[in-house]
Amino acid sequence: HTPSLIREEEIRIIRDRFGGDLAIPTTAFTCTVPPYNPQLRVDFRAVPQVTENPQTRQICRKLGITNPFSPEFKDEVKLWSNPDEISLDEEEEEEEEMKQEICKEGGGME
């Protein structure tokens, strides 16, 4: 096989997995985190939280690949965290509630 034939075969496989439709509908995106808000406190020393979203889960499933943001990888992500970090679960829950409220108010992707 020549490289162009392999590439064409790969494209055909992906088109088949998507039923020939590669368009992304505007309704495909779901707000999973609020947009940046300069009024919220940001701790740049903290390890960013991994957030799985439905659109990534869906495309990974269609492509037959593992979603690196899926719950199965959360243990692996913990390897990056600071072992001396103090858990502030209550504060995180409040922040999560605030994020969800912002998303409900239309602060997410449109």
Side-chain angles (χ1 to χ4, degrees):
H1 294 294
T2 64
S4 63
L5 288 176
I6 293 171
R7 186 171 181 273
E8 288 174 19
E9 177 65 13
E10 291 170 340
I11 291 170
R12 186 193 63 73
I13 290 169
I14 290 172
R15 284 189 188 275
D16 288 349
R17 288 185 181 170
F18 283 84
D21 182 12
L22 301 179
I24 300 172
T26 57
T27 58
F29 295 95
T30 303
C31 178
T32 55
V33 296
Y36 172 71
N37 181 344
Q39 296 174 345
L40 292 179
R41 174 184 59 89
V42 177
D43 182 0
F44 293 101
R45 297 170 295 162
V47 176
Q49 296 296 314
V50 174
T51 304
E52 183 183 27
N53 63 59
Q55 52 271 18
T56 302
R57 185 175 36 237
Q58 181 182 20
I59 197 166
C60 287
R61 193 177 307 126
K62 279 188 172 185
L63 291 173
I65 61 176
T66 302
N67 180 355
F69 300 109
S70 67
E72 296 89 52
F73 284 86
K74 288 196 180 195
D75 288 336
E76 186 174 321
V77 172
K78 286 179 186 173
L79 296 175
W80 305 333
S81 63
N82 180 351
D84 298 324
E85 183 177 349
I86 298 170
S87 176
L88 304 173
D89 291 336
E90 188 174 301
E91 184 178 312
E92 289 172 2
E93 288 174 13
E94 289 173 6
E95 189 172 309
E96 182 62 31
E97 288 173 9
M98 184 186 306
K99 288 177 184 178
Q100 290 175 1
E101 190 60 36
I102 291 170
C103 286
K104 286 179 189 176
E105 293 172 0
M109 296 180 68
E110 296 180 18

